[in-house]
Amino acid sequence: MFDSVRRHSRVLQFVLVLLIFPSFVVFGIQGYQSFAEGNTSVARVDGRDITQVEWDNAHRNQIQQLQQRMPGADPKLFDAPEFKQRTLEGLVQDRVLFAAAHDQHLSPTDAQLARFYQTDPNYTWLIQADKATREGLLAARGLNEGMLDAQVRQELAMRQVLQGVGGSTLATSAAATAALNAFFQQREVQVALFSAKDQMTQVQVSDAEVQAYYADAAHASQFMAAESVAVEYLLLDLAAVSASVSVSDEELRKYYDENAARYGQPEERRARHILVKTGGGADKAQAKAKAESLLAELSKGRDRFVDLARKSSDDPDSGAKGGDLDWSSRGGMVSKALEDAVFGLKKGELAATAVESEFGFHIVELTDVRGGGKRSFDSVRSEIEAEVKKQLAQRRFADAAEQFTNLVEQEDSLQPVATRLKLELRRQDNLTRAGAGAADALLGNPKVLEAVFRAQNLAGKRNTEVVETAANQLFAAHVLKHVSARKKTLEEVKDQARIAVQFQKAAAAAKAEGEARLKDWRAKPEQASGLAAPVLHSRAKQAALPPAIADAVLRAPTSSLPGWLGVDLGAEGYAVVKLLKVADADPAALGDPQQSRSQYAQLWSRAETDAYLKALRQRYKAQMTAKPAAAATGVEGAASR
């Protein structure tokens, strides 16, 4: 039910971070009251500074904890400016809560502390370990039991500051129902679209307008040619090494002989049968007698097999096909007894007696045999050659990789490397930092682009370093030409600029027409024409409306209905909307009433908690002076250790 709430809320942008990042445990009252001096201040709470060193340490600790929880995660992900800023915000919030807890004289009792240790899974080790082990674990963290108790008391006191607000929220059934009905109410509307596309043929664009649009600094980004390079590059992989491997016929024949079993063809047999079923109340002696009677009839002339199978077989599938069981190899038949009988006959032979299986009695005839021989050397020569080359390439790749790396580092171009190792020297023009223009998907690899566009490689004096792009795959490049980002000339983009101006004027014309119609229809509603059929729109059940219109419909006042509103669609044009009526929320959208009220109460509690936190920040004059990019410079190294 609350999916639309989540979709419309920017507050949840970093919800994943908030869920993953553990709450800060501040370093004790004494540590809080004696901040390090001589460091740059990045924030200030209650007259006390938070320093750059404290920020760096807190963020480093956060990354270490995240790496313990998600060992495979890339540390660089958590070192983004947004995450660093989130760390600082957490520090500020903790200092605000600490100050509030101190002023409110909040201090958890011994009983509360003991209950916390017993119920919080993060402290299971503390309860279960013996005294010596517990002391050792705490010492490894630079703590003793007294210090840990002080820290946990402090954290619990800080939690109590918010529990008094979040835990006392009153969300009555009437309030929840009213709020949810308002949020999910339905609105019936009609829409008239005035599209910029429809105006394209009506507007004219002069050369002067094109020149002015091109010269406008606000449009400069539209005409930028991205930084690009022309590169030569080499790829060393198993296929390249394999291409340089030659294998004699003698070696191939030896491999063929040593792996003869791999080139044998399994024998397949085709048979037909007539089944006289037993089980399910059928008398076994009678079934056997019937099978022997049919067998005796066939001994007089097997040309009757098909007709007898169709008339007398209790196997409906094969019976319809005259008893045919199709081709089968060893292990492929449903009955081992039947299979043994089939593979014990000669081609064209009829089993002398009825074959008993778990299904009943079978009259069996072997109609054909194929396979069972060995594929010739000539028929598998190419297959063997590819396999042998692959095996040799895998053994030789390590030596080739070392040679490739040394040559790339020693040479000033890639041509000698390509000649020496018999590799294909490839070329790519107009390759951008984003990988645009690459005909080879390999050039879109982030590691490749990073190496190619490294500052020391752009001059083209040396080859790039060797990059491992995948298992058994090495890449190296040489920049032939580097073109810096530039604004294209007017001649290069004249057509593009003309179309842009045309769209701009068309959108303005569509807006003017829409605004004129809106004015007329408000004055004379009975003359409104061109409105689409009415549709019902709500947050829970959205009609097929452009987002700008859908949002405007839900924001529109409903004091006087029917009502009119205009919606500027920017480059798309303009829309006139007639709001016909407002209906109550669809009960289906509200879901389970009890669950809805519970979710509403949670949202209301969160809103009150956020408001209280904001008030506390103002009371304790919390200020952040650092920008996101100013966070710790040494965190990357710590994260990678």
Side-chain angles (χ1 to χ4, degrees), residues 601-637:
Q602 291 173 11
L603 291 172
W604 190 254
S605 174
R606 184 186 304 170
E608 289 197 343
T609 300
D610 289 344
Y612 184 52
L613 272 172
K614 184 177 181 180
L616 288 177
R617 288 171 71 102
Q618 292 176 345
R619 176 180 176 181
Y620 292 107
K621 299 179 181 179
Q623 295 179 332
M624 288 190 292
T625 57
K627 297 179 180 179
T633 56
V635 172
E636 292 86 346

Side-chain angles (χ1 to χ4, degrees), residues 63-119:
I63 291 181
Q64 289 173 351
Q65 291 180 38
L66 284 168
Q67 285 182 308
Q68 291 174 1
R69 295 184 180 199
M70 298 181 294
D74 183 357
K76 291 183 180 179
L77 246 135
F78 308 124
D79 209 37
E82 295 88 349
F83 280 28
K84 294 176 181 177
Q85 191 71 2
R86 184 65 61 179
T87 304
L88 181 56
E89 289 172 359
L91 273 173
V92 170
Q93 178 171 309
D94 280 348
R95 298 295 166 82
V96 168
L97 293 176
F98 176 84
H102 183 267
D103 288 351
Q104 294 173 25
H105 306 290
L106 297 176
S107 180
T109 65
D110 291 343
Q112 288 174 316
L113 183 65
R115 186 165 58 251
F116 175 77
Y117 283 140
Q118 291 169 355
T119 57

Side-chain angles (χ1 to χ4, degrees), residues 200 203-206 209-214 219 495-507:
M200 288 290 285
V203 298
Q204 302 296 320
V205 179
S206 67
E209 288 174 317
V210 173
Q211 171 69 45
Y213 187 90
Y214 172 80
H219 305 144
D495 291 341
Q496 178 187 344
R498 185 175 297 278
I499 292 174
V501 175
Q502 193 175 6
F503 261 110
Q504 193 178 63
K505 295 182 72 174

Side-chain angles (χ1 to χ4, degrees), residues 362-406:
H362 306 259
I363 299 164
V364 184
E365 181 184 19
L366 181 63
T367 57
D368 205 355
V369 179
R370 70 182 181 187
K374 185 179 179 182
R375 296 165 66 190
S376 68
F377 172 77
D378 289 337
S379 68
V380 296
R381 186 186 188 285
S382 58
E383 180 183 329
I384 293 175
E385 185 175 17
E387 177 65 25
V388 172
K389 280 189 172 185
K390 181 180 179 181
Q391 292 180 7
L392 289 174
Q394 288 174 331
R395 290 201 291 265
R396 297 180 186 179
F397 183 81
D399 292 337
E402 183 177 1
Q403 192 176 8
F404 179 79
T405 302
N406 291 336

